[in-house]
Amino acid sequence: MTDSQPTVAFIGAGNMAGSIFGGLVANGYNAQRIIASDPKPDALAKLQASLNIRTTTDNREALAAADIVVLAVKPQVMKAVCCDLAPHLKPGTLVISIAAGISAASLHTWLGGNQDLALVRCMPNTPSLVQAGASGLFATPSVSDKQKQQAESIMAAVGSVCWVNNEEDIHAVTAVSGSGPAYFFLMIEAMTDAGVAQGLNKDTAARLALDTAYGAAKLAVNSDVDVVELRRRVTSPNGTTAEAIASFENNNYRVIVANAMQACADRSRQLAEQLAD
Ligand SMILES: NC(=O)c1ccc[n+]([C@@H]2O[C@H](COP(=O)([O-])OP(=O)(O)OC[C@H]3O[C@@H](n4cnc5c(N)ncnc54)[C@H](OP(=O)(O)O)[C@@H]3O)[C@@H](O)[C@H]2O)c1
């Protein structure tokens, strides 16, 4: 990345924002072109010392210096934060919201209702905290190709990025990647418990289950064949894995997963309605 980088202001410097600007700095982004705004001066002082980024407790000051604003406060305070910033938003500023469940329409209204407002909604996930996230992005029509590229390279600092063309698809993104880490944590938990039930001690079962999940994901990410083929390769006919897979299939594992993800997307729609203005 070069010194012609845009200045990015983060409104809210908590976990998710910290992982994004931490990732940007680690990737060589000019730290002086990152401003974090948050009510906690102590936390900001630590960020300034560790990352050399600029900090402020004044959201408007951060906005004034920014080409791109990342809204990274909790959904419950988003309306108040946006309404406060709205009169100070400069034309041409790209706004990226990482808040779960807040629609582009609500953000647009709260940010002053300007037709030309360039707004990107992003649904990140918690592995972003270790730069292994998967984010879904949606751009409103006023976002230029250059701004899309800018939004993508910011979120790419913490993992992979996929665009969706319809905002409605953000609910499906929530069901796949937003909530997805918890499904894998549940699987690790269940495998650990089953290993203990078969006689392993808890630490051994937990270590084996966790490292197997990590190894399987790493193998899949680095492989040139898809997960269906990888599964086929560990499933010898009449072997041990074949018995396990048959048990999963006979117990409707795919239906269980599909139902869980449908419940997730339905809840995401419900929460979005509650948070809408
Ligand atoms: N964590 C996730 O896995 C995840 C996944 C997807 C999306 N998100 C979204 O990411 C956003 C941030 O989540 P998070 O987990 O990073 O939360 P967080 O750690 O609580 O960070 C939010 C930060 O904003 C600060 N803040 C509160 N009011 C503010 C204001 N008026 N102006 C500026 N800053 C203010 C908070 O300070 P105080 O602590 O003093 O209130 C806190 O430091 C949320 O909208 C969430 O929906 C998170």
Side-chain angles (χ1 to χ4, degrees):
M1 294 188 192
T2 67
D3 211 35
S4 61
Q5 292 159 333
T7 298
V8 189
F10 288 82
I11 308 298
N15 292 317
M16 195 51 76
S19 66
I20 300 170
F21 54 65
L24 286 169
V25 172
N27 288 348
Y29 206 94
N30 182 345
Q32 287 299 300
R33 292 191 184 269
I34 296 172
I35 308 171
S37 180
D38 197 275
K40 296 185 292 294
D42 291 355
L44 291 177
K46 280 186 195 149
L47 287 173
Q48 203 166 15
S50 60
L51 294 173
N52 194 31
I53 62 172
R54 291 156 65 191
T55 61
T56 175
T57 53
D58 181 349
N59 290 346
R60 294 181 194 178
E61 183 188 321
L63 178 73
D67 304 300
I68 300 173
V69 182
V70 180
L71 300 172
V73 293
K74 290 284 190 196
Q76 293 75 10
V77 294
M78 189 61 90
K79 181 176 181 180
V81 165
C82 287
C83 291
D84 176 63
L85 292 178
H88 310 281
L89 200 54
K90 292 171 296 187
T93 304
L94 169 64
V95 179
I96 302 171
S97 165
I98 63 165
I102 309 250
S103 68
S106 292
L107 290 163
H108 188 264
T109 305
W110 300 340
L111 287 167
N114 186 332
Q115 291 285 3
D116 298 328
L117 177 66
L119 188 58
V120 169
R121 261 193 79 186
C122 169
M123 170 53 65
N125 66 5
T126 48
S128 302
L129 302 174
V130 291
Q131 271 79 58
S135 298
L137 266 61
F138 165 75
T140 57
S142 308
V143 178
S144 68
D145 286 346
K146 183 179 170 197
Q147 288 173 320
K148 277 184 84 173
Q149 188 51 50
Q150 289 172 329
E152 191 171 320
S153 53
I154 288 172
M155 294 315 299
V158 288
S160 67
V161 176
C162 294
W163 287 95
V164 294
N165 292 326
N166 302 308
E167 188 174 6
E168 175 66 15
D169 289 343
I170 288 287
H171 299 299
V173 169
T174 304
V176 178
S177 54
S179 298
Y183 316 158
F184 291 99
F185 300 146
L186 179 65
M187 184 74 175
I188 293 166
E189 199 183 319
M191 285 174 65
T192 302
D193 290 347
V196 170
Q198 292 191 19
L200 296 176
N201 72 50
K202 177 104 194 237
D203 288 349
T204 302
R207 182 84 260 154
L208 292 173
L210 182 61
D211 286 349
T212 301
Y214 180 75
K218 192 168 180 180
L219 179 62
V221 164
N222 289 305
S223 176
D224 53 4
V225 296
D226 64 15
V227 290
V228 176
E229 173 58 15
L230 286 174
R231 178 165 58 79
R232 198 193 60 74
R233 288 182 188 177
V234 286
T235 314
S236 317
N238 300 317
T240 55
T241 310
E243 284 299 311
I245 298 294
S247 175
F248 275 129
E249 297 286 14
N250 292 338
N251 285 289
N252 286 329
Y253 183 68
R254 290 169 200 270
V255 176
I256 291 169
V257 172
N259 286 345
M261 289 175 60
Q262 187 61 54
C264 179
D266 290 348
R267 181 67 180 143
S268 174
R269 286 188 187 89
Q270 215 175 52
L271 287 174
E273 274 171 32
Q274 284 169 18
L275 288 165
D277 206 18

